[in-house]
Amino acid sequence: MSEQLLRQILDKLGRIESEQQFMKTEIQDVKAEVIAIKDTQELFRTQLSETNEIVKAIRDRQEETDAKLDALSMDVNKLHGQFTRLKEGQERHDKLLEKLSVRSIEHEADISELRRIK
């Protein structure tokens, strides 16, 4: 074998080793990126879990608020009914007071007439 052929083989072997080292470096870089992606993914999972808990709490509070609103609506309806009954009672009292006032005026007129006659 000639010395020149041996140098070509050694040069080629050097290039192969250089490429192999470059590939190892690239593989290490990819592994580091995969680890970073996994860390980010875990962070997202944690944040999603926290967000789900917050949404659940909001839903529970909304249900409580809805129940309180229903109770308030029933109270308002009850108060409206009571107000209507009070208003009707007031109207009856006003009519009765008007009748009594008319009678009182009539009685005073009768008394004045009787006094005048005597």
Side-chain angles (χ1 to χ4, degrees):
M1 222 190 266
S2 75
E3 200 176 300
Q4 186 179 15
L5 184 58
L6 185 58
R7 280 187 198 180
Q8 286 177 350
I9 292 173
L10 288 175
D11 284 346
K12 194 168 194 173
L13 184 59
R15 284 193 303 269
I16 291 172
E17 286 175 351
S18 179
E19 286 178 15
Q20 185 181 19
Q21 188 58 39
F22 177 76
M23 296 281 263
K24 283 182 181 180
T25 304
E26 286 292 312
I27 289 171
Q28 290 300 330
D29 290 347
V30 170
K31 284 181 180 180
E33 287 178 16
V34 167
I35 289 171
I37 289 171
K38 284 182 179 181
D39 290 345
T40 303
Q41 186 180 24
E42 186 57 35
L43 178 63
F44 286 159
R45 281 188 182 139
T46 302
Q47 290 173 341
L48 179 60
S49 178
E50 291 172 0
T51 302
N52 285 340
E53 289 299 317
I54 291 169
V55 168
K56 184 180 179 224
I58 290 171
R59 228 183 271 142
D60 291 345
R61 291 237 175 143
Q62 183 63 45
E63 289 173 3
E64 291 172 10
T65 302
D66 289 347
K68 288 177 183 178
L69 183 60
D70 288 344
L72 283 173
S73 292
M74 290 189 322
D75 288 346
V76 166
N77 286 335
K78 181 179 176 184
L79 288 173
H80 182 69
Q82 290 174 346
F83 176 75
T84 300
R85 285 190 297 279
L86 285 172
K87 190 174 175 184
E88 290 169 353
Q90 181 66 39
E91 288 173 1
R92 284 193 308 272
H93 288 126
D94 287 347
K95 287 178 184 176
L96 180 60
L97 185 59
E98 187 178 331
K99 287 180 184 178
L100 291 174
S101 293
V102 169
R103 276 192 187 169
S104 175
I105 292 170
E106 288 173 352
H107 286 157
E108 285 181 21
D110 289 345
I111 291 171
S112 291
E113 182 65 30
L114 288 173
R115 281 189 184 155
R116 197 177 53 90
I117 293 177
K118 276 187 169 177

